[in-house]
Amino acid sequence: MSLTDPFTLCIAAIVTLSLLGLPIGHAMIAASILYLYAAGLDMGTAAEQLLNGMYTSYILLAVPLFILAAELMNSGSMTQRLLTFCNAIVGRFRGGLAQVNVVQSIIFAGMSGSAIADAAGTGKMMQTMMTSGNKYPASFAGALTAATAVIGPIIPPSIPMVLYALVSDASIGYLFLAGMVPGLIMGLAQMSIVAWMARRQNFPVEKPVPLREIPRITWNAFPALMLPVVLLGGIYSGVMTPTEAAAVAAAYAFIISAIVYRSISWADTYSSLLRSARTTASIGMLIAGALVFNYVVTVENIPRALAAFLQGYELTPLMFLIIVNLILLVLGCLLEGTTILLIVIPVLIPTAQALGIDMVHFGIVVVVNIMIGLITPPYGLLLFIMTNIAQVSMRALVRDVMPFLIAMLAALALFTFVPDVVLFLPRMFGYQG
C-alpha cells in the first residue's frame, strides 16, 4: 500500500485533521471526500451516504430524545428528589453517601441513556454532598462518580446500544433487556468496593433518616421513580418502540417537572432544549462522518478481508471475543467511545457473525468495553469531566478510580465467558439467540 493509495490518503487526512483540532466527524467527512476524489469516484456519494443514513434511520431519533429527557430531569427537581430517596435507603450505612452515589446511578440509568448525562447531571451534586465538611476526599468522590456513571448506558435505555443497533441490525428491545443484569452486576460490584473501602478508610456514617420520613420521601420521588417503569413497560409490552419510548421519556420528564413538581420554568425548558440541541449536533456530526467513512471502508472491502484473514487463523468464538476485548480496551484508552462504535465495530461484525457469535451478546460486550474506556487513562472522557467538576489532578483521580476499574474488568470477563449472564433475560422474553 503506497502513500498515494486513496485509502492511505484518507487515513492520513483523518489523523492530520484531528491532530490539527478539527472535530473527528468533520475530519472523517473531509477525508472521505478526498478518498472519493483520489479514487475517481463521484464525490457527491458522500452527501448521498450522509443523507440516506441520517434521514432514513428512524432509530436515530431516540438519541436526541433521550438527551432531552436527561436535560429536563436535571433542570427540574427530579434528580434532587431521587438523591434524597437514595440517601433515605442506603445513607445510614458506613460510607453511606458513597453508596448513594452508586444507587442513584443505577436508578438514573433507567432514564437518560448517557454516561456523560449521568456524570454531568448528578456529578456536581454528589461531589458537593460528599466533600462538604471534608467527609470524603475530593479525588475519591470524583472517581466514584465517574465509575458509577459508566452504569448508565448499560442499564436501559442506552444511547450506545441504539448506535450499536444501527450498525448491526440487532434488536434494540433485546439489547435493552440484555443490559439489565450486567448493569446490576456492575452496580453491585461497585457497592462492594465502596463497602470494603468504607471499612478500610473509616468513611463517615450519615445521620439516619427517621423511618417515619421514608414514606413521605418515597412519595415525593415516586413520579420520578416511575419513569423507568413507564419507559421499559411500554417497550416490552409492545405498546411502543424504543424510539417512541424515548419521546415518551422526554414528554414524561417535562410533565412531571413542570406540572407535578412545578420546578421548571419556560426559561429552564428553553435552556434544556438548547443544551440538548448542541449535544445532539455534536453527536450527529460524528454519526454523519462515520456513515460516510463506513462507505469508504465498504468500498475497500475491509470487513470481508479482515473476516477472511481472521478465519485463516481458525479462531474459536471465545478466542475472537478475547481479541476484541483487548482491541477495544486499548482503543478505549485513546479514542472516544462513539467513534469506536461507529467506525471499528462495523469492521468486526462480519467476523463475529461468521463465527456464530450472538449479536446481542456481542453488543453488550462491546458497549461494556466502550463504557470502561470512558474511565481508562489517558483519554477517559469521564475522567476529564470529573477532574473539572472535582477540581483535582488527573493523577489523584486515576489512583482512586483503579479499584473500580479492576472490578469492571472482572465483570467484563464474566459477561464475555458466560453469555448466559447476558442472554438470560432476553430469552425469558422470547429471544431465540
Side-chain angles (χ1 to χ4, degrees), residues 102-119:
V102 182
V103 173
Q104 64 84 20
S105 282
I106 293 173
I107 295 175
F108 207 70
M111 304 179 189
S112 72
S114 166
I116 306 302
D118 288 3

Side-chain angles (χ1 to χ4, degrees), residues 21 24 51 96 99 108 117 176 178 192 209 278 350 352 358 362 384 398 418:
I24 185 67
L51 293 173
Q99 299 289 12
F108 207 70
F176 280 6
S192 300
V209 175
R278 286 172 176 163
D358 183 88
F362 188 64
F384 285 107
V398 169
V418 189

Side-chain angles (χ1 to χ4, degrees), residues 32-236:
S32 299
I33 292 173
L34 174 63
Y35 169 87
L36 293 171
Y37 172 77
L41 301 174
D42 182 7
M43 288 188 290
T45 305
E48 179 186 350
Q49 291 297 316
L50 191 155
L51 293 173
N52 285 343
M54 294 294 285
Y55 294 106
T56 61
S57 181
Y58 177 65
I59 192 177
L60 282 180
L61 277 175
V63 175
L65 292 169
F66 280 134
I67 292 171
L68 178 59
E71 289 290 349
L72 289 169
M73 283 186 288
N74 292 334
S75 296
S77 64
M78 292 179 73
T79 301
Q80 184 60 55
R81 290 170 189 261
L82 286 173
L83 287 176
T84 303
F85 170 77
C86 294
N87 185 55
I89 300 301
V90 297
R92 63 186 68 238
F93 305 112
R94 182 163 297 281
L97 269 183
Q99 299 289 12
V100 168
N101 201 334
V102 182
V103 173
Q104 64 84 20
S105 282
I106 293 173
I107 295 175
F108 207 70
M111 304 179 189
S112 72
S114 166
I116 306 302
D118 288 3
T122 59
K124 291 181 181 178
M125 281 184 263
M126 287 307 310
Q127 191 71 24
T128 301
M129 289 170 64
M130 292 181 68
T131 56
S132 62
N134 294 319
K135 294 176 182 176
Y136 296 84
S139 59
F140 173 78
L144 179 60
T145 299
T148 58
V150 168
I151 300 172
I154 298 171
I155 296 177
S158 165
I159 291 174
M161 287 185 195
V162 171
L163 298 179
Y164 174 80
L166 174 70
V167 300
S168 69
D169 289 329
S171 163
I172 303 181
Y174 287 131
L175 280 168
F176 280 6
L177 274 174
M180 294 182 75
V181 172
L184 292 174
I185 289 174
M186 293 182 75
L188 290 172
Q190 291 180 358
M191 292 181 77
S192 300
I193 296 288
V194 167
W196 172 69
M197 295 185 73
R199 290 193 301 271
R200 185 181 178 190
Q201 301 186 27
N202 198 30
F203 285 155
V205 178
E206 299 303 308
K207 183 180 178 181
V209 175
L211 291 176
R212 65 177 180 276
E213 290 291 312
I214 292 180
R216 180 186 61 80
I217 292 171
T218 303
W219 177 252
N220 286 339
F222 183 74
L225 290 169
M226 283 301 293
L227 178 53
V229 177
V230 171
L231 198 63
L232 301 178
I235 293 173
Y236 300 123

Side-chain angles (χ1 to χ4, degrees), residues 157-344:
S158 165
I159 291 174
M161 287 185 195
V162 171
L163 298 179
Y164 174 80
L166 174 70
V167 300
S168 69
D169 289 329
S171 163
I172 303 181
Y174 287 131
L175 280 168
F176 280 6
L177 274 174
M180 294 182 75
V181 172
L184 292 174
I185 289 174
M186 293 182 75
L188 290 172
Q190 291 180 358
M191 292 181 77
S192 300
I193 296 288
V194 167
W196 172 69
M197 295 185 73
R199 290 193 301 271
R200 185 181 178 190
Q201 301 186 27
N202 198 30
F203 285 155
V205 178
E206 299 303 308
K207 183 180 178 181
V209 175
L211 291 176
R212 65 177 180 276
E213 290 291 312
I214 292 180
R216 180 186 61 80
I217 292 171
T218 303
W219 177 252
N220 286 339
F222 183 74
L225 290 169
M226 283 301 293
L227 178 53
V229 177
V230 171
L231 198 63
L232 301 178
I235 293 173
Y236 300 123
S237 65
V239 173
M240 49 186 147
T241 66
T243 302
E244 291 164 347
V248 170
Y252 185 92
F254 176 74
I255 291 169
I256 296 301
S257 296
I259 298 175
V260 178
Y261 292 153
R262 296 184 180 180
S263 60
I264 188 170
S265 64
W266 287 114
D268 294 329
T269 304
Y270 175 76
S271 297
S272 297
L273 289 168
L274 196 60
R275 287 192 299 269
S276 300
R278 286 172 176 163
T279 304
T280 300
S282 63
I283 295 175
M285 284 306 301
L286 189 55
I287 295 172
L291 289 169
V292 178
F293 182 70
N294 283 342
Y295 173 76
V296 172
V297 170
T298 302
V299 170
E300 287 288 313
N301 210 20
I302 290 174
R304 187 175 296 176
L306 178 64
F309 174 76
L310 291 176
Q311 286 172 8
Y313 284 93
E314 298 182 354
L315 295 175
T316 65
L318 185 58
M319 290 170 61
F320 174 74
L321 286 174
I322 292 172
I323 291 172
V324 168
N325 278 334
L326 294 174
I327 291 172
L328 295 182
L329 288 171
V330 171
L331 290 177
C333 300
L334 306 170
L335 298 176
E336 195 269 332
T338 307
T339 305
I340 298 173
L341 199 54
L342 295 171
I343 299 300
V344 178

Side-chain angles (χ1 to χ4, degrees), residues 339-359:
T339 305
I340 298 173
L341 199 54
L342 295 171
I343 299 300
V344 178
I345 301 308
V347 176
L348 298 173
I349 284 174
T351 305
Q353 290 173 326
L355 291 171
I357 295 172
D358 183 88
M359 282 294 98

